[in-house]
């Protein structure tokens, strides 16, 4: 009995009778649940886990789940989106908080806003163990998260490596966690910026314009890699065909412009910023007039495939990228 009472106030004990995980970061909420379940199954491998949505936890359901068992089995009851529980069910939960059952661990996941705040306040007043799961919207928060992930694996990573990983992966916490885990498993010694670059360079820049730039430069392998990253990270295929068209047309426009014209004049006449004039000049070195025509046909075919003329938009884009890269070396 004394042990049970101690657990009620032990904020670091995942087997506390009640845990509230508060916030909107899905990865952290899932981890809070996993920690409790792992601790319960370490104590009793046959622990029964019930994972419920607000619709599944009706008035009276909690009483049934937490009623004494003939076999005195350990049980974890997880309630997701507790802020959305009905008024009658909230009354049940509040009543349970006053007298939690032995061998039962209740985990309430709550978004933390004004909705359902009465339940959250009641759980805190009852001494529930609380786990913060805030949405990480600031780069500094994600950087701290990455550092914590490496520390948790017992690995050392330089500040530059942590920053590079955040820059490369972005805001998805699950992907950041997965990347940290992969690096920790694959790399020996200190994880530095060079290691991160080897694994993840290109992801942050995986955009439609990167695909186009690599293609018109004749770098087929890099263009295909950028294409796959772009698609994997959600760039719409139609945006990629548009960028490819712009890249090839820019080559054609500059190739037909008067020789010796100043960048400022060309920028005005061709509708491009001066910095782009310099970039396109570098990109057009291997191009011929026939190559531009071939590339434009390839873009048109890809555009038709992407907009419904073919069964596989990704394949249509790959064909176009290869054709453009070959055309870039047609001179």
């Amino acid at each position: 009995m004394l042990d049970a009472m101690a657990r009620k106030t032990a904020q670091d004990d995942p087997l506390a009778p009640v845990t509230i995980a508060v916030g909107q970061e899905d990865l952290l909420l899932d981890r809070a649940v996993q920690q409790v379940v792992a601790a319960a199954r370490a104590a009793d491998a046959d622990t029964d886990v019930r994972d419920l949505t607000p619709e599944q936890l009706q008035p009276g359901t909690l009483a049934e789940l937490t009623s004494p068992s003939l076999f005195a089995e350990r049980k974890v009851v997880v309630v997701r989106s507790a802020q959305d529980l009905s008024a009658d069910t909230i009354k049940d939960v509040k009543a349970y908080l006053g007298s939690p059952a032995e061998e039962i661990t209740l985990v309430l996941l709550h978004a933390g806003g004004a909705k359902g705040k009465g339940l959250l306040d009641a759980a805190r007043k009852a001494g529930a163990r609380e786990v913060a799961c805030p949405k990480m919207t600031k780069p500094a928060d994600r950087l701290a998260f990455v550092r914590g992930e490496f520390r948790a694996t017992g690995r050392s990573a330089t500040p530059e490596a942590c920053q590079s990983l955040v820059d490369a992966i972005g805001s998805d916490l699950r992907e950041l966690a997965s990347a940290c885990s992969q690096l920790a498993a694959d790399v020996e010694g200190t994880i530095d910026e060079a290691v991160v670059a080897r694994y993840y360079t290109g992801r942050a820049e995986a955009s439609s314009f990167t695909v186009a730039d690599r293609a018109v430069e004749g770098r087929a392998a890099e263009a295909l890699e950028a294409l796959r990253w772009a698609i994997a990270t959600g760039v719409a295929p139609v945006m990629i065909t548009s960028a490819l068209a712009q890249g090839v047309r820019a080559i054609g426009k500059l190739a037909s412009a008067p020789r010796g014209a100043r960048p400022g004049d060309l920028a005005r006449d061709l509708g491009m910023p001066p910095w782009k004039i310099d970039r396109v000049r570098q990109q057009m070195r291997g191009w011929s007039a026939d190559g531009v025509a071939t590339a434009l046909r390839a873009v048109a075919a890809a555009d038709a495939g992407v907009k419904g003329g073919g069964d596989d938009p990704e394949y249509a884009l790959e064909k176009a990228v290869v054709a453009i890269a070959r055309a870039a070396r047609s001179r």
Side-chain angles (χ1 to χ4, degrees):
M1 183 67 175
L2 288 175
D3 287 345
M5 291 176 64
R7 283 204 300 271
K8 287 185 180 181
T9 57
Q11 287 293 309
D12 58 348
D13 183 4
L15 290 182
V18 180
T19 288
I20 49 174
V22 185
Q24 299 179 41
E25 186 58 68
D26 289 341
L27 174 66
L28 301 184
L29 291 167
D30 286 345
R31 284 186 173 182
V33 173
Q34 291 163 8
Q35 183 188 33
V36 172
V37 171
R41 286 185 169 156
D44 181 355
D46 294 325
T47 295
D48 181 23
V49 178
R50 303 295 179 92
D51 199 323
L52 307 171
T53 63
E55 295 76 20
Q56 293 171 311
L57 193 68
Q58 297 296 318
T61 305
L62 184 61
E64 292 176 13
L65 292 174
T66 57
S67 59
S69 167
L70 291 175
F71 304 101
E73 64 179 356
R74 181 178 289 278
K75 188 180 292 184
V76 175
V77 178
V78 180
V79 181
R80 297 185 181 271
S81 302
Q83 72 278 358
D84 295 330
L85 291 171
S86 68
D88 288 338
T89 303
I90 287 177
K91 289 179 183 178
D92 287 353
V93 177
K94 287 181 176 180
Y96 178 81
L97 293 173
S99 183
E102 292 287 341
E103 303 301 315
I104 304 272
T105 300
L106 176 64
V107 184
L108 301 173
L109 308 189
H110 194 291
K115 188 177 183 181
K117 187 173 183 296
L119 176 59
L120 197 56
D121 292 341
R124 286 168 172 158
K125 187 176 180 180
R129 168 178 174 263
E130 184 167 348
V131 180
C133 305
K135 198 76 175 174
M136 295 192 182
T137 57
K138 298 179 181 178
D141 293 337
R142 294 193 286 273
L143 185 58
F145 172 79
V146 166
R147 289 171 179 159
E149 289 294 289
F150 284 126
R151 280 198 301 270
T153 61
R155 301 303 306 279
S156 175
T158 66
E160 293 79 12
C162 294
Q163 184 64 62
S164 293
L165 196 59
V166 171
D167 291 342
I169 301 296
S171 60
D172 191 309
L173 230 57
R174 290 187 189 278
E175 289 197 27
L176 283 170
S178 176
C180 291
S181 178
Q182 181 181 18
L183 289 170
D186 292 357
V187 179
E188 296 182 359
T190 299
I191 297 165
D192 58 20
E193 190 174 10
V195 168
V196 174
R198 189 163 71 246
Y199 273 74
Y200 295 103
T201 287
R203 176 172 283 203
E205 297 82 13
S207 68
S208 54
F209 291 105
T210 301
V211 177
D213 284 341
R214 299 298 170 267
V216 299
E217 290 162 4
R219 296 153 66 178
E222 292 177 42
L224 288 170
E225 181 181 5
L227 172 64
R228 288 162 191 149
W229 276 124
I231 291 172
T233 53
V235 177
V238 68
M239 297 298 293
I240 299 173
T241 54
S242 175
L244 290 171
Q246 289 182 50
V248 175
R249 287 182 188 132
I251 298 287
K253 285 181 180 180
L254 195 56
S256 60
R259 291 183 178 274
R262 293 181 300 178
D265 295 334
L266 287 172
R268 184 183 63 254
D269 295 340
L270 301 180
M272 300 181 194
W275 64 265
K276 190 168 184 178
I277 296 293
D278 293 335
R279 174 182 288 181
V280 175
R281 271 181 170 161
Q282 294 175 351
Q283 292 173 334
M284 64 183 287
R285 288 172 183 164
W287 284 86
S288 66
D290 288 342
V292 172
T294 299
L296 286 173
R297 286 194 295 271
V299 171
D303 191 52
V306 163
K307 292 178 179 176
D311 296 328
D312 190 341
E314 185 173 346
Y315 177 64
L317 286 169
E318 288 181 354
K319 282 183 63 178
V321 163
V322 171
I324 292 168
R326 286 177 179 166
R329 301 182 182 280
S330 59
R331 179 174 291 176

